[in-house]
């Protein structure tokens, strides 16, 4: 029991079990085809951030994939909160969690295996945020590289669904990491406009105005929407529009948003310094402060403390 008490607990097909007991059959369609959806939020001081909004987005992905998880959104929220509660004693005082929900279409059985689980595979998990690994990004800014790999076209597969099939952005990220292991990728869409990175959205600041790619070509991040809402409250104009490399080269400031980072400044794109080189820039700083106040946690200080 003492060994199990030091293991994180996950929800797995109706039961709360140690992570080591979450065993997905090799015939599960998530393993075979990436036929699954997931979503992730983070905690601030152990409190899940916009869990309802993340779960709602998760269920939009599931509807798109035509997967019924067998749980209502309210039940999925309750399960997620229970997973966080059951792991509270394992969270360091200066640390926080990623909290994830994952549902696959389930086992592709031939008929003679006798798998116990015949419906969808449902997992809710939590794991520590990589605060130490990403701390320097808040000190120095992110170096963005644009790979040759383009973001999957909405005419083929909607990027608005958060699925287990991440190979498009993984191949792009591998290309970028081969050139600079510390760089982050931002892909172009089929039309040559900025789209998104692997789990991140991009914003440009030009003459005090905020711009971000249209939702049609990207996953609409909850952190992305939070920044849009905060900008409007601060009187900063924000527009969703097509943005290309010319726009990036002439931006005064650029930053990325993601679940774990919240928002983090970009210092260069393809080796070219952003704007005046100030990191973070004034608009990014203003939005960062507003974000920290909104979530009740100085997330920048949380990261920088790990340097």
């Amino acid at each position: 029991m003492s060994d199990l008490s030091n293991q994180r607990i996950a929800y797995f097909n109706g039961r709360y079990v140690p992570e080591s007991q979450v065993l997905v059959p090799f015939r599960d369609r998530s393993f075979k085809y990436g036929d699954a959806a997931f979503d992730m939020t983070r905690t601030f001081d152990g409190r899940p951030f916009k869990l309802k909004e993340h779960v709602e987005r998760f269920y939009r992905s599931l509807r798109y994939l035509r997967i019924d998880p067998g749980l209502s959104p309210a039940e999925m929220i309750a399960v997620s909160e229970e997973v966080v509660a059951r792991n509270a004693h394992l969270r360091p005082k200066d640390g926080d969690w990623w909290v994830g929900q994952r549902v696959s279409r389930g086992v592709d059985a031939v008929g003679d295996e006798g798998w116990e689980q015949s419906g969808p595979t449902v997992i809710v998990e939590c794991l520590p945020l990589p605060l130490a690994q990403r701390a320097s990004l808040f000190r120095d800014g992110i170096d963005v590289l644009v790979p040759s790999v383009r973001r999957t076209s909405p005419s083929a597969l909607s990027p608005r669904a958060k699925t287990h099939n991440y190979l498009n952005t993984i191949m792009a990220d591998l290309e970028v990491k081969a050139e600079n292991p510390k760089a982050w990728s931002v892909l172009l869409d089929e039309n040559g406009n900025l789209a998104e990175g692997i789990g991140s959205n991009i914003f440009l600041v030009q003459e005090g105005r905020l711009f971000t790619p249209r939702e049609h070509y990207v996953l609409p991040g909850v952190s992305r929407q939070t920044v849009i809402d905060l900008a409007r409250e601060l009187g900063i104009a924000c527009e969703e529009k097509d943005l290309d490399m010319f726009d990036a080269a002439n931006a005064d400031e650029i930053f990325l948003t993601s679940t774990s980072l919240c928002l983090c400044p970009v210092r260069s794109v393809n080796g070219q310094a952003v704007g005046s080189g100030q990191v973070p820039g004034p608009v990014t700083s203003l939005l960062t402060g507003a974000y920290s106040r909104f979530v009740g946690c100085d997330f920048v200080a949380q990261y920088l403390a790990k340097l």
Side-chain angles (χ1 to χ4, degrees):
M1 182 63 185
S2 59
D3 290 340
L4 294 180
S5 67
N6 291 323
Q7 290 189 40
R8 290 191 298 272
I9 298 298
Y11 175 90
F12 181 47
N13 293 335
R15 299 183 299 131
Y16 295 94
V17 299
E19 281 189 0
S20 60
Q21 295 180 21
V22 178
L23 304 175
V24 178
F26 73 95
R27 291 200 190 278
D28 192 278
R29 290 178 64 90
S30 61
F31 176 73
K32 293 176 67 178
Y33 306 120
D35 186 7
F38 77 104
D39 216 293
M40 303 287 286
T41 187
R42 64 159 288 172
T43 64
F44 291 102
D45 297 326
R47 296 172 283 103
F49 175 63
K50 289 193 173 181
L51 181 57
K52 180 176 180 290
E53 288 85 346
H54 277 277
V55 169
E56 287 174 346
R57 184 179 66 175
F58 181 42
Y59 275 72
R60 289 194 292 273
S61 296
L62 289 170
R63 281 193 294 273
Y64 176 71
L65 297 183
R66 304 183 187 184
I67 297 175
D68 180 0
L71 294 173
S72 69
E75 289 171 325
M76 188 67 74
I77 290 171
V79 167
S80 302
E81 291 173 337
E82 180 66 18
V83 167
V84 171
R86 290 186 181 227
N87 290 289
H89 66 290
L90 296 175
R91 183 181 66 85
K93 289 184 178 180
D94 59 350
D96 269 301
W97 302 121
W98 262 318
V99 183
Q101 304 83 23
R102 301 180 181 275
V103 175
S104 83
R105 203 174 306 276
V107 172
D108 236 356
V110 176
D112 59 351
E113 299 94 338
W115 299 114
E116 292 183 8
Q117 180 69 13
S118 59
T121 300
V122 181
I123 298 170
V124 179
E125 57 167 329
C126 72
L127 68 160
L129 287 174
L131 299 174
Q133 296 93 315
R134 297 181 175 183
S136 63
L137 301 177
F138 287 90
R139 179 191 62 197
D140 306 327
I142 296 172
D143 292 314
V144 163
L145 292 178
V146 177
S148 63
V149 177
R150 295 291 178 96
R151 187 70 177 100
T152 301
S153 168
S155 63
L157 183 71
S158 176
R160 288 183 284 175
K162 194 173 179 70
T163 75
H164 274 204
N165 193 331
Y166 251 40
L167 279 177
N168 173 231
T169 51
I170 286 172
M171 295 305 294
D173 219 43
L174 288 172
E175 179 183 324
V176 163
K177 299 296 187 187
E179 182 173 342
N180 180 352
K182 294 183 178 180
W184 284 48
S185 61
V186 172
L187 288 69
L188 302 179
D189 65 24
E190 60 185 343
N191 300 311
N193 295 310
L194 293 166
E196 60 187 338
I198 185 167
S200 64
N201 294 116
I202 187 168
F203 284 82
L204 275 57
V205 180
Q206 295 175 329
E207 297 181 353
R209 295 171 58 86
L210 200 58
F211 300 94
T212 194
R214 292 189 290 134
E215 182 178 317
H216 185 61
Y217 290 96
V218 302
L219 178 74
V222 174
S223 301
R224 170 183 179 271
Q225 187 60 50
T226 300
V227 166
I228 291 172
D229 294 341
L230 290 172
R232 288 170 178 161
E233 290 177 11
L234 292 169
I236 300 171
C238 184
E239 181 182 350
E240 297 181 41
K241 61 177 291 189
D242 290 334
L243 301 162
D244 58 18
M245 293 301 295
F246 182 88
D247 295 307
N250 287 281
D252 300 319
E253 303 172 45
I254 299 177
F255 60 85
L256 300 184
T257 61
S258 78
T259 293
S260 59
L261 294 177
C262 303
L263 70 156
C264 187
V266 171
R267 69 175 175 181
S268 71
V269 176
N270 287 352
Q272 180 180 7
V274 175
S276 66
Q278 179 183 349
V279 176
V283 174
T284 303
S285 294
L286 188 63
L287 288 166
T288 298
Y291 204 117
S292 293
R293 290 188 296 274
F294 180 69
V295 301
C297 173
D298 187 343
F299 61 88
V300 175
Q302 185 183 39
Y303 274 99
L304 292 179
K306 298 294 184 179
L307 288 173

